Amino acid sequence: MAHEPARPSRGERLGNDAETGALTLGFIPLVDCAPLVVAAEKGFARREGLDLTLMREVSWANIRDRVALGHFDAAHMLGPMPIASSLGLGRPAVAMVAPFSLGLGGNAVTLSLDLFAAMAETAAGDTDQFRRFEPMAVGRALAIVLRDRQAAGHEPPTLAIVHPFSSHNYELRYWLASAGLDPDNEVRLAVLPPSMMVDGMIERQIDGFCAGEPWNSLAVAAGAGVIAVTKSALWRQGPEKVLGLRAEFADRFPEQTAALVRALYEAARWAADPANIGELALLLSDPAYLSTPAAIIESDLRGALTRVPGTAAEPVADFLVFHEHAANFPWLSHALWFYAQMVRWGHVDHTAAHAEIARRVYRPDLYRAALAPIGADLPRASAKVEGALQRPTPVASRLGRMTLGPDGFFDGRLFDPDQLDQYIASFRS
């Protein structure tokens, strides 16, 4: 069961607890923390000899710091966060690793009713695409509204993100830039904990936000916003959260690390089973975890979102993927895409040494070592060309062939990790 954050009574916890299988994991109340909750509540961790204590946190900065200090053995973590920590971005460097992906997708961009209504009025040339919430059409409408308001002397809108080194920040910037907007000058990007997003919209302190569920749906339910763009529309089956832990912990306690990966793998598979959606929604709705109506969580798990207040839910393809299509594999190409965005937006200088640090954070070797003994099918490759798959595609795997899902970017671009320098240079020309 989860517990509220508490300061450890004595220094770092690493040591005897980990050796005996007692681990403390941090999480943020989001639907995509489900594998951690299921591992703890449904017995998958106990079967691996682990005794998990889940500690709910308010902000991603707290998650990062408490893992870095050893207060948490591991945590539900933003995909770019262990990379940023290893590079020393935002705080002194602490080497971290990510041996497991907690799933794909699950984020969305929610905009205020006023802003979205103004966008709808400008979308005459893109009416059908806009009504289908296609990212290009929605982005063009947003750019028109913001330029008109700027010409009239209005201040830029404030859009909230959950952390500077988050997939939310990078996917929001990617989308805005594709619409011709400068994310550093034509909007204000502010950092807020996910749990403060809805109140920020209601109180008109922010004009929109990019966050994971259930916060977008809660904003719609409160009549405060419209879900304008989903992550699955920006980057279908794109990476999101990972299991993050200190590299030192993984080195000192390889058996416990492997056991945790196995427990989460089985938990993610359980969470992905449609037969378990109702039970999972009730489990996550508990006050110890999300403290959110089970009906909203169940809609998220089924990939059915109510985008506009007062309208019916509609299906969103691949909105949140917990297990299928190698969703739990820590692809090196995911890590390097995040690194490329850090370089693009001036968060780190691009050097061979920095790229190598980023490459070493995601650990498919640890994933394979943990799961091969239980007969799990595993990709043979450790990286892939991101955005190249337009449909489910069979690829070579440990057991023969496995199917990867479509992973296209909304703008049609590709990211080849073997062409990292050229990709980064393309944004500077």
Side-chain angles (χ1 to χ4, degrees), residues 80 89 164-175 337-338 341-342 345 347:
L89 306 184
F165 309 119
S166 63
S167 52
H168 313 68
N169 186 18
Y170 297 128
E171 65 205 32
L172 180 60
R173 285 173 173 272
Y174 192 108
W175 174 58
W337 187 87
F338 286 135
Q341 305 312 306
M342 294 174 181
W345 299 110
H347 294 164

Side-chain angles (χ1 to χ4, degrees), residues 3-4 45 183 206 277 313 327 362 424:
H3 299 276
E4 294 295 343
I206 58 175
I277 286 178
Y362 280 35
I424 291 172

Side-chain angles (χ1 to χ4, degrees), residues 24 42-43 45 93 113 130 160 162 186 189 194 221 228 256 267 303 306 308 331 337 352 357 359 371 405 420:
T24 299
K42 296 297 294 182
L113 297 181
F130 186 87
V162 302
E186 293 185 273
L189 295 180
Q256 287 79 5
T306 299
V308 180
W331 293 97
W337 187 87
I357 289 172
R359 186 179 284 107
L371 295 175
L420 179 62

Side-chain angles (χ1 to χ4, degrees), residues 33-292:
C33 76
L36 276 70
V37 174
V38 171
E41 295 283 1
K42 296 297 294 182
F44 297 111
R46 287 192 297 275
R47 291 176 201 172
E48 293 293 337
L50 300 176
D51 177 15
L52 299 187
T53 297
L54 302 188
M55 302 283 284
R56 186 174 60 198
E57 265 295 353
V58 174
S59 75
W60 290 111
N62 287 356
I63 289 281
R64 174 202 60 194
D65 292 346
R66 297 192 74 180
V67 171
L69 293 171
H71 297 174
F72 294 155
D73 299 309
H76 173 221
M77 194 172 280
L78 298 161
M81 185 173 280
I83 302 168
S85 177
S86 298
L87 288 166
L89 306 184
R91 59 159 295 126
V94 175
M96 293 190 184
V97 296
F100 188 87
S101 166
L102 292 169
L104 306 172
N107 290 348
V109 178
T110 295
L111 300 175
S112 70
L113 297 181
D114 292 346
L115 181 55
F116 193 81
M119 291 162 57
E121 291 179 4
T122 72
D126 290 326
T127 300
D128 290 341
Q129 295 90 335
F130 186 87
R131 287 176 178 171
R132 292 196 297 268
F133 297 95
E134 293 183 5
M136 284 291 196
V138 176
R140 283 192 291 267
L142 178 61
I144 292 170
V145 170
L146 297 194
R147 299 268 165 73
D148 288 346
R149 290 185 174 185
Q150 183 182 30
H154 293 281
E155 293 291 322
T158 298
L159 304 180
I161 54 174
V162 302
H163 193 268
F165 309 119
S166 63
S167 52
H168 313 68
N169 186 18
Y170 297 128
E171 65 205 32
L172 180 60
R173 285 173 173 272
Y174 192 108
W175 174 58
L176 294 172
S178 294
L181 292 166
D182 181 347
D184 289 313
N185 291 294
E186 293 185 273
V187 301
R188 292 196 190 100
L189 295 180
V191 175
L192 281 179
S195 59
M196 296 179 64
M197 299 291 192
V198 177
D199 286 344
M201 291 281 281
I202 292 172
E203 296 168 7
R204 296 180 176 269
Q205 296 174 344
I206 58 175
D207 301 286
F209 63 84
C210 183
E213 281 293 281
W215 302 106
N216 302 279
S217 292
L218 289 171
V220 174
V226 173
I227 299 176
V229 181
T230 64
K231 174 162 188 166
S232 56
L234 295 174
W235 183 1
R236 195 164 177 183
Q237 295 199 13
E240 186 42 47
K241 306 299 192 308
V242 297
L243 175 72
L245 58 155
R246 290 174 59 168
E248 176 191 4
F249 183 95
D251 290 340
R252 289 175 61 189
F253 305 111
E255 293 182 4
Q256 287 79 5
T257 300
L260 182 56
V261 167
R262 286 192 295 271
L264 291 173
Y265 179 87
E266 297 295 351
R269 182 159 62 178
W270 186 92
D273 187 339
N276 297 328
I277 286 178
E279 182 181 354
L280 178 56
L282 285 172
L283 186 61
L284 293 174
S285 71
D286 190 279
Y289 297 120
L290 271 62
S291 191
T292 296

